[in-house]
Amino acid sequence: MSAVTLVDLTHIRSSEYDICVKRRISKFCALTGNGSQEPVFVIADPESSVGTDRFPRSSVLEMFIGFSNSPQVLCKSSLSASLYSFKQAIDKEDISNVKIMTSSHGRALFQVYQELLFTSAYSFEYSMIYDSVSCDSCPMGICTHTDISTQQAADAKHELCTFLQRLPAVKGDIALLRSSVISDCFGHGFTTRTGGISYISTLSSLNLFCNPRRKDSRAVVSENLRRLGMKAGFTPQQFNLIKCNHASDVWVMGKPAPDSYDGMVTNQVGVVIAAPGADCMPLLFTDPVRKVIGVAHAGWKGTLMGIAMATVNAMVSEFGSSPADIVCVIGPSVGPCCFTLEKDSAGEFHAIHPDCVRNMDSSTPYVDIRLATRILLERGGIKPAHIEDIRIPHQSESTLCTSCHPELFFSHVRDGLNFGTQMGFVWIK
């Protein structure tokens, strides 16, 4: 099944209008039914006539008699709740093509929810089953509005956010990893994958990045971030995430931001800066002397391009930090047990130090990006004792490989293109 039909009956109020809608839906079903295997969902407002003696659910089912599968009627407490249930159902079947039958006014409202609750991984096709909807403010109760107001859009967003805030967490509580080498004058942490509301298997559950090619929406990721902030002690308004390009550009906050940057530094109190990772390293930098912080996103390309030392150098040049005072914590990333590169690229890591590569004679040697980062930082003047690989408390394992720990971390190497994202974050208290 590659497509699904969603029929919007949320605006039905007038019995005369109900008859018109029924006729149009029946005509649609006659044209597209004939044993169709495509699933059909019907969204109804609990306050509408659907489900009453005048418009019982049985009459809804009869309209779709030409389809092999009976429609599923969604009559939840709110449109947000109904659409969320709809999204869960089609995600379970891996369906991305959505056909929506609604009014012109309903289309404008649904497009607000589409923007908030879905991504570009889905395609939407709208068809009008009626041209107007019930409206108390218009003549004879029939509305010819084809748009919605700014306030209506804001109300829809508020309703969805409120609904998401009430959802229970998936897979336990939020668990953060923290380092003992970072001074108490800074707040910081590295996230794991538990405690959020993302339900798709490879994104579950505390996914913290919305990629339009994946199926976790902006609204869901925003709710995950809100929950993280409550746990860690910051608000989403304080939060700033790197705009990755797998390169070595660094943004000094307060100056014009480049289009993309894999490093970020600041001396502003209370501003939370963060670097994502899903095999790439989130790096946290702190200078307790000058009260300066930095973060970097370091994949294998960024490591070779020098993003770690570019971040250090920005702290030195912009805020007067001394490399000897800077502390760096390397967050969870893919380890040399699981990460391979083509021989030419692996050779560049071998040139940094032979210990960064295993099986160099292989066509795809194993590469240790964390060790390479540590070596480059030490060569740049960071003290070895000031560089730490983050670990799970009370466990002796020397490194945390994201690919080897599916219960703790997201991983592109392990999960493929539809992977989730964890992150490291820091702020000056």
Side-chain angles (χ1 to χ4, degrees), residues 394-422:
H394 314 301
Q395 291 193 16
S396 59
E397 187 178 0
S398 60
T399 57
L400 281 177
C401 173
T402 47
S403 181
C404 287
H405 292 278
E407 76 286 359
L408 286 176
F409 303 115
F410 302 109
S411 170
H412 181 197
V413 169
R414 182 191 64 238
D415 297 332
L417 293 178
N418 198 34
F419 61 92
T421 300
Q422 54 258 340

Side-chain angles (χ1 to χ4, degrees), residues 282-315:
L283 305 178
L284 304 186
F285 299 87
T286 60
D287 175 3
V289 177
R290 291 284 186 172
K291 298 294 191 300
V292 180
I293 54 175
V295 293
H297 161 264
W300 72 268
K301 292 180 181 178
T303 299
L304 292 177
M305 295 178 71
I307 182 58
M309 278 309 301
T311 306
V312 170
N313 291 336
M315 295 172 70

Side-chain angles (χ1 to χ4, degrees), residues 317-339:
S317 62
E318 297 294 332
F319 303 110
S321 293
S322 168
D325 295 327
I326 294 175
V327 171
C328 176
V329 181
I330 302 172
S333 72
V334 67
C337 47
C338 298
F339 184 58

Side-chain angles (χ1 to χ4, degrees), residues 9-27:
L9 300 183
T10 59
H11 299 107
I12 293 178
R13 295 288 187 276
S14 161
S15 58
E16 193 173 313
Y17 218 61
D18 294 350
I19 295 171
C20 176
V21 172
K22 287 188 223 180
R23 287 174 178 170
R24 296 199 184 188
I25 293 177
S26 297
K27 182 178 180 181

Side-chain angles (χ1 to χ4, degrees), residues 159-295:
E159 179 196 273
L160 178 59
C161 290
T162 301
F163 168 76
L164 295 177
Q165 288 176 17
R166 293 172 178 166
L167 291 177
V170 179
K171 293 184 178 179
D173 298 326
I174 292 176
L176 299 178
L177 303 177
R178 292 188 170 97
S179 168
S180 61
V181 301
I182 291 182
S183 168
D184 289 340
C185 64
F186 305 105
H188 79 284
F190 294 93
T191 64
T192 59
R193 68 181 298 172
T194 60
I197 62 170
S198 303
Y199 57 80
I200 296 173
S201 59
T202 56
L203 302 172
S204 177
S205 64
L206 193 67
N207 174 41
L208 292 166
F209 183 71
C210 178
N211 185 313
R213 297 187 298 275
R214 302 174 204 146
K215 292 189 173 182
D216 231 1
S217 69
R218 285 194 301 122
V220 168
V221 171
S222 293
E223 172 57 17
N224 286 342
L225 178 62
R226 187 193 70 84
R227 296 185 184 205
L228 169 62
M230 289 184 64
K231 174 72 173 182
F234 64 81
T235 65
Q237 291 74 26
Q238 298 171 270
F239 185 80
N240 299 270
L241 182 64
I242 278 173
K243 296 181 180 179
C244 303
N245 193 35
H246 295 274
S248 60
D249 292 321
V250 179
W251 177 36
V252 179
M253 294 190 73
K255 293 188 174 183
D259 293 335
S260 62
Y261 45 93
D262 286 81
M264 183 162 36
V265 297
T266 187
N267 65 349
Q268 299 177 36
V269 175
V271 173
V272 181
I273 57 176
D279 291 331
C280 297
M281 297 170 287
L283 305 178
L284 304 186
F285 299 87
T286 60
D287 175 3
V289 177
R290 291 284 186 172
K291 298 294 191 300
V292 180
I293 54 175
V295 293

Side-chain angles (χ1 to χ4, degrees), residues 89-152:
I90 67 173
D91 286 341
K92 183 178 180 180
E93 301 298 328
D94 197 25
I95 299 174
S96 300
N97 299 319
V98 181
K99 303 173 184 176
I100 297 181
M101 300 173 62
T102 183
S103 66
S104 53
H105 176 85
R107 173 176 178 163
L109 181 60
F110 271 69
Q111 285 177 329
V112 173
Y113 284 97
Q114 176 186 330
E115 177 71 19
L116 292 169
L117 200 51
F118 296 86
T119 68
S120 299
Y122 303 84
S123 65
F124 286 82
E125 176 186 336
Y126 289 86
S127 59
M128 303 300 109
I129 54 172
Y130 46 100
D131 297 323
S132 56
V133 298
S134 171
C135 179
D136 294 337
S137 65
C138 292
M140 301 181 67
I142 297 178
C143 174
T144 56
H145 296 156
T146 59
D147 245 334
I148 62 172
S149 68
T150 302
Q151 185 59 51
Q152 287 175 308

Side-chain angles (χ1 to χ4, degrees), residues 4 31 43 76 85 101 154 158 164 173 229 257 260 304 357 380 388:
V4 60
L31 292 172
I43 290 185
K76 303 291 185 180
S85 294
M101 300 173 62
H158 176 73
L164 295 177
D173 298 326
S260 62
L304 292 177
V357 181
E388 180 184 72

